[in-house]
Amino acid sequence: MGFDTPTSTSDLLFPLCAQNFSTTLSALKRSTLSTSNRLSSIYQDSKFVERLNECHKLPVVANERCGSWYIRPERIAARSYFKSTDGHYGQWAFSTRRLNLHLLHIIGKAGGCIVVDSTRRGKSMPDALSKTIPIWCCVINRLLFESEAQAYELRTPKEVISESEHAQIEARMDGFLRDVKSLELDISGLRHCLKKPLRLAWVTPDVSCGISSSAESATNDIICCTASRRVYGAEASGDGYIQGAGDDSEGWAHNLTPAIFWTHREELLSTAPHHLPDLILRYTTATGQSLAALSHGIRIGTTCIYIGYTGAVSADCQTTSFDGIINCCQTSRNEASYTNANGTAGAFMTPKLLQLQCGSGKLASRALRTQLPLVPPFIESIAHLKTTPRLLITCSTGKDISVGVALTILCKFFDSHYQFRPSPQKEVIDKTSIRRRLAVITASKPDISPSRATLQSVHSFLMPMNGQAPDDSRSLSVGNH
């Protein structure tokens, strides 16, 4: 007995007609998901966020990268870095690389905050809001308010998370708490900053929540706001509205950023779709030239280390702001190359500048492994000139390679109290000490994003006897994939 095969377009139409029909459908999909429709959808969703903000009078936090599209830049109190991947089914994690501790001061001062994010079709809210933030809140509560019974409660939205999944997440909470305790954070300082436990609520355009916030409340209220309304079936509704239009902007934005969009929104929203790419190019070209000058380095804790963008190097080399500068990116300058005792060449060094030759992209993280041996001799050379030298470390983003170099210096030249030492330490460096120092960097610069390959290079240099197994370096990046 035979089985009927599904009817296809080619069965209904002649071959040429079927091909044209398929081309037409693809063109319609592209026009529906156009940049013009995405920007219009973002602007429409932003009005919901503004109404929520006016209702609750709480500071608004943009969960990067999607959340920034839905908030006017002047209304963003802070940016958070909760990843949906840490909330994926079976992959639940508390990230020790993205602690988001900078939010505690804002939350404690205002009595809460509104965290804004969105997601594409298929879900009513992103995993970052429904699971990653609940995990974070529960861990923070247990860490800072262990004597209060309510601090041990894991809260997830019942409309989205099943009882089974909730129970599986809750079973991992003790392990997450042990991970964060191993970082030896300033518990008393964090508790003084927050003062009250965290409590969660969830709001979407389709579901309202009656949570109220006041200074007399026994908790700090975090409202997880999904900016986009849900679209069922297709990726866009009949009127061209796109759910989660701000998500994965690399694929549609033509280098447009949320800041540029909000600055020029009226012209962008009123421009015909076929003229939009040229207009975006004009705006991004005009603003891109000044981006490098915006950074002069972020100080890491109470140390003398600063992390910044490569664009800050040329200016700072001509001033007395820093005693030493390490630039991790490839350069076209013709200074003489520097070769260390092991024969590693390609970089160059002056009394004040160490120029590493890491290149760019994914290869830069691997190249870092060959460049790290040049760092200790440079640090020792400037330490002879000043007891506690101010160091600026830069890379193309200020988030990846420079973080690896800073982490290496913290491990080699700073004691457990983060006091600088002019010579590399002789003590054995283990994974726990590396993880603690990475947490210090994260607390000072929450937007860091060191790749796994970067951490592998650092791990290989600091712990050469352990080899270069990926599993070891992966332990440095608990909760991120």
Side-chain angles (χ1 to χ4, degrees):
M1 181 176 178
F3 294 93
D4 294 333
T5 58
T7 303
S8 64
T9 303
S10 60
D11 296 326
L12 300 176
L13 303 171
F14 291 109
L16 180 60
C17 295
Q19 182 179 359
N20 291 339
F21 183 63
S22 176
T23 302
T24 301
L25 287 178
S26 298
L28 286 172
K29 181 177 180 180
R30 285 195 300 271
S31 64
T32 302
L33 300 177
S34 66
T35 300
S36 179
N37 279 358
R38 288 184 181 277
L39 296 181
S40 296
S41 301
I42 288 170
Y43 186 64
Q44 180 179 333
D45 291 339
S46 72
K47 295 179 181 179
F48 169 71
V49 176
E50 288 184 1
R51 291 196 299 270
L52 186 67
N53 185 26
E54 291 170 359
C55 177
H56 293 282
K57 305 298 183 184
L58 289 172
V60 181
V61 175
N63 193 43
E64 294 289 22
R65 292 169 296 177
C66 183
S68 292
W69 287 98
Y70 300 94
I71 314 168
R72 298 172 188 267
E74 64 271 16
R75 296 193 178 188
I76 298 178
R79 303 177 191 276
S80 61
Y81 304 89
F82 297 105
K83 305 293 287 184
S84 284
T85 51
D86 294 332
H88 286 177
Y89 189 89
Q91 303 298 320
W92 313 290
F94 178 90
S95 173
T96 56
R97 274 176 57 195
R98 300 184 185 273
L99 294 171
N100 288 290
L101 298 180
H102 63 292
L103 299 180
L104 300 186
H105 175 74
I106 295 171
I107 294 171
K109 185 176 180 180
C113 70
I114 300 172
V115 182
V116 178
D117 202 350
S118 189
T119 188
R120 292 177 292 180
R121 69 176 178 130
K123 292 184 177 181
S124 60
M125 66 178 66
D127 287 343
L129 299 187
S130 64
K131 288 177 280 188
T132 306
I133 291 182
I135 290 171
W136 181 81
C137 286
C138 187
V139 169
I140 294 297
N141 281 342
R142 294 187 182 190
L143 180 69
L144 303 184
F145 306 101
E146 58 183 354
S147 62
E148 300 186 29
Q150 64 173 334
Y152 282 78
E153 180 185 7
L154 171 68
R155 292 171 60 95
T156 55
K158 297 179 180 179
E159 299 80 7
V160 178
I161 308 302
S162 67
E163 292 184 4
S164 173
E165 184 172 10
H166 178 97
Q168 292 179 70
I169 296 173
E170 196 164 33
R172 300 192 181 191
M173 294 308 302
D174 288 342
F176 298 154
L177 186 60
R178 284 194 298 270
D179 288 341
V180 73
K181 282 185 174 180
S182 71
L183 301 178
E184 297 185 347
L185 301 172
D186 180 11
I187 303 300
S188 60
L190 295 176
R191 186 185 297 115
H192 176 75
C193 182
L194 195 58
K195 299 181 178 64
K196 300 181 292 186
L198 304 169
R199 183 179 66 157
L200 280 169
W202 295 267
V203 179
T204 73
D206 305 308
V207 179
S208 61
C209 180
I211 188 171
S212 60
S213 305
S214 67
E216 292 76 25
S217 173
T219 58
N220 290 299
D221 297 322
I222 298 181
I223 301 177
C224 296
C225 170
T226 302
S228 302
R229 61 182 170 89
R230 188 171 187 179
V231 174
Y232 292 89
E235 292 186 69
S237 63
D239 60 357
Y241 172 81
I242 302 173
Q243 177 185 348
D247 202 10
D248 293 332
S249 58
E250 300 89 348
W252 61 265
H254 304 284
N255 294 322
L256 183 70
T257 64
I260 299 174
F261 164 66
W262 282 104
T263 300
H264 304 284
R265 65 185 179 280
E266 293 183 1
E267 188 173 359
L268 288 167
L269 292 172
S270 61
T271 299
H274 58 282
H275 291 311
L276 201 53
D278 291 336
L279 181 63
I280 292 174
L281 179 61
R282 174 154 59 89
Y283 287 144
T284 54
T285 302
T287 58
Q289 303 300 324
S290 61
L291 292 180
L294 297 178
S295 173
H296 291 84
I298 301 297
R299 186 179 183 183
I300 303 305
T302 60
T303 72
C304 55
I305 296 179
Y306 294 73
I307 296 177
Y309 295 93
T310 301
V313 171
S314 57
D316 289 317
C317 277
Q318 300 172 9
T319 69
T320 57
S321 297
F322 297 97
D323 302 296
I325 297 171
I326 301 176
N327 182 26
C328 306
C329 297
Q330 197 82 26
T331 180
S332 58
R333 296 168 64 182
N334 296 318
E335 284 84 344
S337 63
Y338 171 75
T339 304
N340 74 342
N342 295 326
T344 303
F348 63 81
M349 183 174 72
T350 69
K352 191 173 182 179
L353 171 66
L354 173 62
Q355 173 67 64
L356 301 180
Q357 298 296 305
C358 293
S360 59
K362 295 181 179 180
L363 295 179
S365 296
R366 296 181 180 179
L368 179 63
R369 189 168 303 193
T370 66
Q371 299 294 298
L372 283 176
L374 308 178
V375 174
F378 176 71
I379 300 300
E380 288 185 274
S381 70
I382 60 175
H384 289 302
L385 304 176
K386 191 172 183 179
T387 305
T388 307
R390 285 165 54 88
L391 303 170
L392 173 64
I393 307 167
T394 65
C395 66
S396 59
T397 64
K399 301 177 182 180
D400 186 8
I401 307 301
S402 56
V403 174
V405 174
L407 179 59
T408 300
I409 296 173
L410 280 177
C411 291
K412 296 289 287 185
F413 288 90
F414 287 80
D415 61 23
S416 59
H417 300 290
Y418 300 99
Q419 297 298 309
F420 179 78
R421 297 182 298 189
S423 300
Q425 67 165 320
K426 303 299 183 182
E427 296 87 344
V428 175
I429 300 173
D430 58 20
K431 289 181 288 186
T432 300
S433 63
I434 298 175
R435 193 180 296 115
R436 287 171 181 168
R437 285 159 174 77
L438 184 59
V440 171
I441 299 176
T442 302
S444 302
K445 199 173 187 300
D447 65 339
I448 66 168
S449 183
S451 67
R452 181 170 296 167
T454 294
L455 294 177
Q456 286 175 343
S457 294
V458 173
H459 179 272
S460 176
F461 176 69
L462 295 176
M463 303 173 60
M465 299 304 294
N466 285 12
Q468 302 175 3
D471 287 341
D472 287 329
S473 63
R474 189 173 296 118
S475 67
L476 301 180
S477 54
V478 175
N480 276 280
H481 304 278

